[in-house]
Amino acid sequence: MTDQTKWVYDLNEGDASLKPLLGGKGANLAEMHRIGVPVPDAFTVTTQACVASMNNDGEWPEGLAEQIDAGLARLEERTGKNLGSAENPLLVSIRSGAVFSMPGMMDTILNLGISDDTVEAVAQLADNERFAWDCYRRFVQMYGEVVEGIAPNVFEDALTEMKESKGVALDTDLTAADLKELTQQFKSLANEALGGHWTTDPKEQLLRAVNAVFKSWLNPRAEVYRKSQGISRDLGTAVNVQEMVFGNRGETSATGVCFSRNPSTGAKELYGEFLTNAQGEDVVAGIRTPRPLEEMEAVLPEAFTELLETMERLEKHNKDMQDMEFTIEDRKLFMLQTRNGKRTAAAAVKTAVDMVDEGLITTEEALLRINPSDLDALLHPGIDPDFDGVAIVKGLPASPGAAVGALSFDAEDAAERGGRGEKIILVRYETTPDDIAGVMVSQGVLTAHGGMTSHAAVVARGMGITCVAGAPGIKIDVKAETVTINGKVYGTSDVLTLNGSTGEVFDGAAPLVPPAINEDFEKVGEWADAARRLGVRANAENFEDASKARELGAEGIGLARTEHMFMAPDRLPAVRKMILADNEEERAAALAEILPMQQKDFEAIFTAMKGLPVTVRLLDPPLHEFLPNLVEQSLLVQKLELTGADEADVERERALLGQVKKLHEQNPMLGTRGCRLAMLYPSIPEMQARAIIRAALAVLEREGETVGVEIMIPLVVIAKELQVQRAIVEKAVEEELAAAGKTLDYTVGTMIEIPRAALTADQIAEHADFFSFGTNDLTQTGIGISRDDAEAGFLGYYVDTEVMARNPFEGLDQDGVGQLVQIGVEKGRSTKTSLKTGICGEHGGDPASVEFFHNAGLDYVSCSPFRVPIARLAAARAALLNK
Ligand code: ADP
Ligand code: MG
Ligand code: MG
């Protein structure tokens, strides 16, 4: 036994540091016990035991069953109760508990140990027969569903029938005799469903329940949740076997959930819900709509005061907002769970700032508390405060934000429509964790039942999805796909607006306004700026986006594309003239027409950036992108020919078709684009360089602002290309400056976006003042996949089956493409130590990628304007975590 792996830990053997082994729930129960908070006695089966079973086709590792037996014997010894005893029976819960909390995604079984042999003793000891049968019927249902896989409706139908036949509305109105009868029914239904194989021995039930919790680690909703949160499947779940305490022993007993601060707003105030004469599952599974915690003061005053003290104590101890489950058994308080509470982005920011003010944590700890990706939610719109529509119903404000969408009454339907990009409000009687796939893609969730601490609400807040819960009096007809609110019937094509901050629901789409960025947000941004080394710029090419970027803290533009401007309808004719020109003269004339337009665009960007650096990338896409589609143009010509149209028209369209054909490429992404185009048509980069300089001089004169001009040549793969292009650009710039009699600092650099460029970066750096890694194209060319084809094709499958950990266009492929970035930086700097390096792919706003770029030693990342705050925080965290 001595050299055997330890699979089981008693409650007093653990503490918070053992989270990887005991799971969050188990480690925190042990920690609470250690510091003297009342917790029912327990033992924990380790995550390693789950992993070992999982890796061995579900077969338990050697010694596990024996250690559970021994753990149970010790628990019996400590509690003085015995599992299955007819005198003093021990009842336990079997609870899942992963390293990272996954609210409601796995299974729990309560009241195990109640049986025909023990139920009388339970009744006598509590002096409450109704309570004993309530436990028993709950147990048969939970055990039957979770361990034996019996369909829930088997039990629910029987319960509904029973309530109807007794003429009562609530479970709590059923008498002891009713519940006894119901239990007998449940048992025979269960036995029937299992073909006579219903287990009645509590010991055997215990082992089967532990195994069922192991297996629930792999159930579909847990898989979906893990994937969405980036939690590894290899971690496994622990299993806690804990003595039951009973919130369903009458009106002096209760159960509930509370937070040490408001998880929606972060405010330091009472936030919680409870039910008397109930078990925890009734609250967390959203089966009944619970009462606000404030009301507990009048019902159970001593327990209420003790709860408040415990809350405060646990928050101080864990130095973070706590989400707690408690049960009061005959006025005595027990804590059943505590964890760092899931919260909205707004609450994360507010609690972090407040806790710094309260001296509870440092600014560095505060920065590490806030998940950068969550900031995104703060930048989403809310309902216009001037909107004075009248709510059609008001439920509980379970997860804030505004959601506008068409209705869906089924998670699968929501997942499908939401997946297609439709804006959906998922309307459910109550949401169960099984709805997770539908919830994730919805704008908002509206439920008829359940409170603000139900699992559904917790998950929604964690994901930044708006939720109004427990909307009173709404009638949902799932079959007909309708909901009746305030007398009016709404179907799948009707639109509602949810206000998750107030709980209000409006008919139709309410007007939305951009979010207001508050002081706390600004403060976190300032702390982040002080902590980070990496610069943060934005990708933007017009005045609005550039201004937004500056407002959100960008230190410059890392990528201003010049081709979007070419696509504007009023420009396209001139651009086409340039492309279709037969000779240099015609082309020059067309370019002369475009130049002032480009100049105006650049002036707008320079003006918005007020002296900050702006990297302008010269024309990048293949020319045929500016021409009509080949198939469409062929059809047009055919149609004109067949309908005998005017010969001049036919001729013109035919000529255009000829050009389209000439420029058509099999693989345009790898064809004549970027600097290759500029090599063939040098008058294009020349015109662009002139437009940039004229714009810079104009802004300098008009606004008195210096302008940080950085001219970027795309798609270079050979040093010679950059040498030639740089010369073209420099000549044009010098001519412009000479003509104006002015001087201006500017730099010329290139994108590194093809493996060959990274590999020969030492040669390319000879001609470059800066490198900007275009990680989108570098991912395509480095992995050898085209984004559109991959995403429409195999990539989803690869990510689902974990062949690839993430979509490489969302999170940088650090092992592969990452190496190209590292090589490019190293080689580039080996030639030129002062070489400035940055990245301008979408990865610039992805926190994990930002950390990689920090470690690769880049000077800055550039991302879309709304991701700038995310990148600032991610860069700060990267600096703090990689000191
Ligand atoms: P989940 O992850 O679904 O919240 P839990 O293991 O926390 O699963 O249990 C679900 C509910 O059952 C919670 O409300 C919890 O408080 C309650 N519960 C669990 N164990 C016990 C126990 N030993 N005594 C009383 N209630 C319990
Ligand atoms: Mg729980
Ligand atoms: Mg590119």
mmCIF file with all atom_site columns, all heavy atoms in Angstrom, residues 376-392:
data_model
loop_
_atom_site.group_PDB
_atom_site.id
_atom_site.type_symbol
_atom_site.label_atom_id
_atom_site.label_alt_id
_atom_site.label_comp_id
_atom_site.label_asym_id
_atom_site.label_entity_id
_atom_site.label_seq_id
_atom_site.pdbx_PDB_ins_code
_atom_site.Cartn_x
_atom_site.Cartn_y
_atom_site.Cartn_z
_atom_site.occupancy
_atom_site.B_iso_or_equiv
_atom_site.pdbx_formal_charge
_atom_site.auth_seq_id
_atom_site.auth_comp_id
_atom_site.auth_asym_id
_atom_site.auth_atom_id
_atom_site.pdbx_PDB_model_num
ATOM 1   N N   . ASP A 1 376 ? -13.635 42.973 -24.638 1.00 0.00 ? 376 ASP A N   1
ATOM 2   C CA  . ASP A 1 376 ? -14.432 43.105 -25.841 1.00 0.00 ? 376 ASP A CA  1
ATOM 3   C C   . ASP A 1 376 ? -15.883 43.446 -25.501 1.00 0.00 ? 376 ASP A C   1
ATOM 4   O O   . ASP A 1 376 ? -16.483 44.326 -26.119 1.00 0.00 ? 376 ASP A O   1
ATOM 5   C CB  . ASP A 1 376 ? -14.377 41.757 -26.566 1.00 0.00 ? 376 ASP A CB  1
ATOM 6   C CG  . ASP A 1 376 ? -14.737 41.879 -28.015 1.00 0.00 ? 376 ASP A CG  1
ATOM 7   O OD1 . ASP A 1 376 ? -14.459 42.951 -28.572 1.00 0.00 ? 376 ASP A OD1 1
ATOM 8   O OD2 . ASP A 1 376 ? -15.305 40.935 -28.572 1.00 0.00 ? 376 ASP A OD2 1
ATOM 9   N N   . ALA A 1 377 ? -16.420 42.737 -24.509 1.00 0.00 ? 377 ALA A N   1
ATOM 10  C CA  . ALA A 1 377 ? -17.820 42.913 -24.133 1.00 0.00 ? 377 ALA A CA  1
ATOM 11  C C   . ALA A 1 377 ? -18.111 44.345 -23.691 1.00 0.00 ? 377 ALA A C   1
ATOM 12  O O   . ALA A 1 377 ? -19.210 44.866 -23.901 1.00 0.00 ? 377 ALA A O   1
ATOM 13  C CB  . ALA A 1 377 ? -18.195 41.943 -23.017 1.00 0.00 ? 377 ALA A CB  1
ATOM 14  N N   . LEU A 1 378 ? -17.116 45.003 -23.102 1.00 0.00 ? 378 LEU A N   1
ATOM 15  C CA  . LEU A 1 378 ? -17.337 46.366 -22.612 1.00 0.00 ? 378 LEU A CA  1
ATOM 16  C C   . LEU A 1 378 ? -17.467 47.355 -23.752 1.00 0.00 ? 378 LEU A C   1
ATOM 17  O O   . LEU A 1 378 ? -17.911 48.484 -23.569 1.00 0.00 ? 378 LEU A O   1
ATOM 18  C CB  . LEU A 1 378 ? -16.150 46.807 -21.757 1.00 0.00 ? 378 LEU A CB  1
ATOM 19  C CG  . LEU A 1 378 ? -16.066 46.160 -20.396 1.00 0.00 ? 378 LEU A CG  1
ATOM 20  C CD1 . LEU A 1 378 ? -14.910 46.728 -19.634 1.00 0.00 ? 378 LEU A CD1 1
ATOM 21  C CD2 . LEU A 1 378 ? -17.361 46.414 -19.649 1.00 0.00 ? 378 LEU A CD2 1
ATOM 22  N N   . LEU A 1 379 ? -17.015 46.918 -24.912 1.00 0.00 ? 379 LEU A N   1
ATOM 23  C CA  . LEU A 1 379 ? -17.033 47.837 -26.046 1.00 0.00 ? 379 LEU A CA  1
ATOM 24  C C   . LEU A 1 379 ? -18.258 47.601 -26.916 1.00 0.00 ? 379 LEU A C   1
ATOM 25  O O   . LEU A 1 379 ? -18.363 48.125 -27.999 1.00 0.00 ? 379 LEU A O   1
ATOM 26  C CB  . LEU A 1 379 ? -15.739 47.657 -26.842 1.00 0.00 ? 379 LEU A CB  1
ATOM 27  C CG  . LEU A 1 379 ? -14.492 47.903 -25.979 1.00 0.00 ? 379 LEU A CG  1
ATOM 28  C CD1 . LEU A 1 379 ? -13.231 47.426 -26.675 1.00 0.00 ? 379 LEU A CD1 1
ATOM 29  C CD2 . LEU A 1 379 ? -14.363 49.376 -25.649 1.00 0.00 ? 379 LEU A CD2 1
ATOM 30  N N   . HIS A 1 380 ? -19.160 46.767 -26.407 1.00 0.00 ? 380 HIS A N   1
ATOM 31  C CA  . HIS A 1 380 ? -20.384 46.512 -27.163 1.00 0.00 ? 380 HIS A CA  1
ATOM 32  C C   . HIS A 1 380 ? -21.457 47.536 -26.804 1.00 0.00 ? 380 HIS A C   1
ATOM 33  O O   . HIS A 1 380 ? -21.485 48.080 -25.722 1.00 0.00 ? 380 HIS A O   1
ATOM 34  C CB  . HIS A 1 380 ? -20.897 45.106 -26.892 1.00 0.00 ? 380 HIS A CB  1
ATOM 35  C CG  . HIS A 1 380 ? -20.084 44.068 -27.602 1.00 0.00 ? 380 HIS A CG  1
ATOM 36  N ND1 . HIS A 1 380 ? -19.537 44.294 -28.840 1.00 0.00 ? 380 HIS A ND1 1
ATOM 37  C CD2 . HIS A 1 380 ? -19.693 42.836 -27.240 1.00 0.00 ? 380 HIS A CD2 1
ATOM 38  C CE1 . HIS A 1 380 ? -18.864 43.242 -29.209 1.00 0.00 ? 380 HIS A CE1 1
ATOM 39  N NE2 . HIS A 1 380 ? -18.924 42.344 -28.260 1.00 0.00 ? 380 HIS A NE2 1
ATOM 40  N N   . PRO A 1 381 ? -22.371 47.748 -27.722 1.00 0.00 ? 381 PRO A N   1
ATOM 41  C CA  . PRO A 1 381 ? -23.403 48.756 -27.505 1.00 0.00 ? 381 PRO A CA  1
ATOM 42  C C   . PRO A 1 381 ? -24.425 48.376 -26.437 1.00 0.00 ? 381 PRO A C   1
ATOM 43  O O   . PRO A 1 381 ? -24.618 47.209 -26.133 1.00 0.00 ? 381 PRO A O   1
ATOM 44  C CB  . PRO A 1 381 ? -24.093 48.862 -28.871 1.00 0.00 ? 381 PRO A CB  1
ATOM 45  C CG  . PRO A 1 381 ? -23.723 47.639 -29.609 1.00 0.00 ? 381 PRO A CG  1
ATOM 46  C CD  . PRO A 1 381 ? -22.448 47.129 -29.042 1.00 0.00 ? 381 PRO A CD  1
ATOM 47  N N   . GLY A 1 382 ? -25.074 49.379 -25.888 1.00 0.00 ? 382 GLY A N   1
ATOM 48  C CA  . GLY A 1 382 ? -26.177 49.171 -24.956 1.00 0.00 ? 382 GLY A CA  1
ATOM 49  C C   . GLY A 1 382 ? -27.408 49.860 -25.505 1.00 0.00 ? 382 GLY A C   1
ATOM 50  O O   . GLY A 1 382 ? -27.354 50.519 -26.544 1.00 0.00 ? 382 GLY A O   1
ATOM 51  N N   . ILE A 1 383 ? -28.538 49.724 -24.801 1.00 0.00 ? 383 ILE A N   1
ATOM 52  C CA  . ILE A 1 383 ? -29.771 50.368 -25.262 1.00 0.00 ? 383 ILE A CA  1
ATOM 53  C C   . ILE A 1 383 ? -29.656 51.883 -25.039 1.00 0.00 ? 383 ILE A C   1
ATOM 54  O O   . ILE A 1 383 ? -29.162 52.337 -24.008 1.00 0.00 ? 383 ILE A O   1
ATOM 55  C CB  . ILE A 1 383 ? -30.981 49.795 -24.514 1.00 0.00 ? 383 ILE A CB  1
ATOM 56  C CG1 . ILE A 1 383 ? -31.178 48.335 -24.944 1.00 0.00 ? 383 ILE A CG1 1
ATOM 57  C CG2 . ILE A 1 383 ? -32.238 50.621 -24.808 1.00 0.00 ? 383 ILE A CG2 1
ATOM 58  C CD1 . ILE A 1 383 ? -32.273 47.615 -24.221 1.00 0.00 ? 383 ILE A CD1 1
ATOM 59  N N   . ASP A 1 384 ? -30.068 52.625 -26.012 1.00 0.00 ? 384 ASP A N   1
ATOM 60  C CA  . ASP A 1 384 ? -30.036 54.084 -25.944 1.00 0.00 ? 384 ASP A CA  1
ATOM 61  C C   . ASP A 1 384 ? -30.748 54.571 -24.675 1.00 0.00 ? 384 ASP A C   1
ATOM 62  O O   . ASP A 1 384 ? -31.915 54.251 -24.458 1.00 0.00 ? 384 ASP A O   1
ATOM 63  C CB  . ASP A 1 384 ? -30.759 54.632 -27.194 1.00 0.00 ? 384 ASP A CB  1
ATOM 64  C CG  . ASP A 1 384 ? -30.635 56.132 -27.286 1.00 0.00 ? 384 ASP A CG  1
ATOM 65  O OD1 . ASP A 1 384 ? -30.301 56.780 -26.267 1.00 0.00 ? 384 ASP A OD1 1
ATOM 66  O OD2 . ASP A 1 384 ? -30.869 56.658 -28.393 1.00 0.00 ? 384 ASP A OD2 1
ATOM 67  N N   . PRO A 1 385 ? -30.042 55.302 -23.825 1.00 0.00 ? 385 PRO A N   1
ATOM 68  C CA  . PRO A 1 385 ? -30.675 55.738 -22.572 1.00 0.00 ? 385 PRO A CA  1
ATOM 69  C C   . PRO A 1 385 ? -31.911 56.627 -22.801 1.00 0.00 ? 385 PRO A C   1
ATOM 70  O O   . PRO A 1 385 ? -32.785 56.718 -21.936 1.00 0.00 ? 385 PRO A O   1
ATOM 71  C CB  . PRO A 1 385 ? -29.578 56.512 -21.853 1.00 0.00 ? 385 PRO A CB  1
ATOM 72  C CG  . PRO A 1 385 ? -28.432 56.631 -22.792 1.00 0.00 ? 385 PRO A CG  1
ATOM 73  C CD  . PRO A 1 385 ? -28.640 55.695 -23.930 1.00 0.00 ? 385 PRO A CD  1
ATOM 74  N N   . ASP A 1 386 ? -31.997 57.239 -23.977 1.00 0.00 ? 386 ASP A N   1
ATOM 75  C CA  . ASP A 1 386 ? -33.160 58.073 -24.271 1.00 0.00 ? 386 ASP A CA  1
ATOM 76  C C   . ASP A 1 386 ? -34.371 57.266 -24.748 1.00 0.00 ? 386 ASP A C   1
ATOM 77  O O   . ASP A 1 386 ? -35.473 57.800 -24.889 1.00 0.00 ? 386 ASP A O   1
ATOM 78  C CB  . ASP A 1 386 ? -32.823 59.111 -25.348 1.00 0.00 ? 386 ASP A CB  1
ATOM 79  C CG  . ASP A 1 386 ? -31.850 60.137 -24.813 1.00 0.00 ? 386 ASP A CG  1
ATOM 80  O OD1 . ASP A 1 386 ? -31.793 60.292 -23.569 1.00 0.00 ? 386 ASP A OD1 1
ATOM 81  O OD2 . ASP A 1 386 ? -31.131 60.744 -25.620 1.00 0.00 ? 386 ASP A OD2 1
ATOM 82  N N   . PHE A 1 387 ? -34.138 55.985 -25.021 1.00 0.00 ? 387 PHE A N   1
ATOM 83  C CA  . PHE A 1 387 ? -35.225 55.135 -25.496 1.00 0.00 ? 387 PHE A CA  1
ATOM 84  C C   . PHE A 1 387 ? -36.295 55.038 -24.407 1.00 0.00 ? 387 PHE A C   1
ATOM 85  O O   . PHE A 1 387 ? -36.002 54.710 -23.261 1.00 0.00 ? 387 PHE A O   1
ATOM 86  C CB  . PHE A 1 387 ? -34.672 53.755 -25.832 1.00 0.00 ? 387 PHE A CB  1
ATOM 87  C CG  . PHE A 1 387 ? -35.712 52.728 -26.169 1.00 0.00 ? 387 PHE A CG  1
ATOM 88  C CD1 . PHE A 1 387 ? -36.512 52.884 -27.289 1.00 0.00 ? 387 PHE A CD1 1
ATOM 89  C CD2 . PHE A 1 387 ? -35.877 51.597 -25.384 1.00 0.00 ? 387 PHE A CD2 1
ATOM 90  C CE1 . PHE A 1 387 ? -37.473 51.940 -27.609 1.00 0.00 ? 387 PHE A CE1 1
ATOM 91  C CE2 . PHE A 1 387 ? -36.832 50.642 -25.691 1.00 0.00 ? 387 PHE A CE2 1
ATOM 92  C CZ  . PHE A 1 387 ? -37.627 50.813 -26.807 1.00 0.00 ? 387 PHE A CZ  1
ATOM 93  N N   . ASP A 1 388 ? -37.562 55.374 -24.760 1.00 0.00 ? 388 ASP A N   1
ATOM 94  C CA  . ASP A 1 388 ? -38.577 55.372 -23.698 1.00 0.00 ? 388 ASP A CA  1
ATOM 95  C C   . ASP A 1 388 ? -39.664 54.337 -23.965 1.00 0.00 ? 388 ASP A C   1
ATOM 96  O O   . ASP A 1 388 ? -40.809 54.509 -23.573 1.00 0.00 ? 388 ASP A O   1
ATOM 97  C CB  . ASP A 1 388 ? -39.151 56.774 -23.515 1.00 0.00 ? 388 ASP A CB  1
ATOM 98  C CG  . ASP A 1 388 ? -39.758 57.303 -24.813 1.00 0.00 ? 388 ASP A CG  1
ATOM 99  O OD1 . ASP A 1 388 ? -39.716 56.550 -25.814 1.00 0.00 ? 388 ASP A OD1 1
ATOM 100 O OD2 . ASP A 1 388 ? -40.259 58.439 -24.833 1.00 0.00 ? 388 ASP A OD2 1
ATOM 101 N N   . GLY A 1 389 ? -39.292 53.251 -24.665 1.00 0.00 ? 389 GLY A N   1
ATOM 102 C CA  . GLY A 1 389 ? -40.253 52.170 -24.910 1.00 0.00 ? 389 GLY A CA  1
ATOM 103 C C   . GLY A 1 389 ? -40.720 51.547 -23.612 1.00 0.00 ? 389 GLY A C   1
ATOM 104 O O   . GLY A 1 389 ? -40.036 51.628 -22.595 1.00 0.00 ? 389 GLY A O   1
ATOM 105 N N   . VAL A 1 390 ? -41.905 50.953 -23.666 1.00 0.00 ? 390 VAL A N   1
ATOM 106 C CA  . VAL A 1 390 ? -42.439 50.327 -22.456 1.00 0.00 ? 390 VAL A CA  1
ATOM 107 C C   . VAL A 1 390 ? -42.168 48.826 -22.521 1.00 0.00 ? 390 VAL A C   1
ATOM 108 O O   . VAL A 1 390 ? -42.464 48.172 -23.526 1.00 0.00 ? 390 VAL A O   1
ATOM 109 C CB  . VAL A 1 390 ? -43.958 50.588 -22.346 1.00 0.00 ? 390 VAL A CB  1
ATOM 110 C CG1 . VAL A 1 390 ? -44.521 49.897 -21.124 1.00 0.00 ? 390 VAL A CG1 1
ATOM 111 C CG2 . VAL A 1 390 ? -44.215 52.088 -22.303 1.00 0.00 ? 390 VAL A CG2 1
ATOM 112 N N   . ALA A 1 391 ? -41.607 48.300 -21.466 1.00 0.00 ? 391 ALA A N   1
ATOM 113 C CA  . ALA A 1 391 ? -41.268 46.883 -21.440 1.00 0.00 ? 391 ALA A CA  1
ATOM 114 C C   . ALA A 1 391 ? -42.525 46.037 -21.479 1.00 0.00 ? 391 ALA A C   1
ATOM 115 O O   . ALA A 1 391 ? -43.526 46.374 -20.844 1.00 0.00 ? 391 ALA A O   1
ATOM 116 C CB  . ALA A 1 391 ? -40.452 46.567 -20.193 1.00 0.00 ? 391 ALA A CB  1
ATOM 117 N N   . ILE A 1 392 ? -42.469 44.931 -22.235 1.00 0.00 ? 392 ILE A N   1
ATOM 118 C CA  . ILE A 1 392 ? -43.635 44.045 -22.281 1.00 0.00 ? 392 ILE A CA  1
ATOM 119 C C   . ILE A 1 392 ? -43.607 43.083 -21.107 1.00 0.00 ? 392 ILE A C   1
ATOM 120 O O   . ILE A 1 392 ? -44.618 42.525 -20.713 1.00 0.00 ? 392 ILE A O   1
ATOM 121 C CB  . ILE A 1 392 ? -43.719 43.275 -23.618 1.00 0.00 ? 392 ILE A CB  1
ATOM 122 C CG1 . ILE A 1 392 ? -42.367 42.627 -23.969 1.00 0.00 ? 392 ILE A CG1 1
ATOM 123 C CG2 . ILE A 1 392 ? -44.161 44.207 -24.730 1.00 0.00 ? 392 ILE A CG2 1
ATOM 124 C CD1 . ILE A 1 392 ? -42.419 41.740 -25.179 1.00 0.00 ? 392 ILE A CD1 1
#
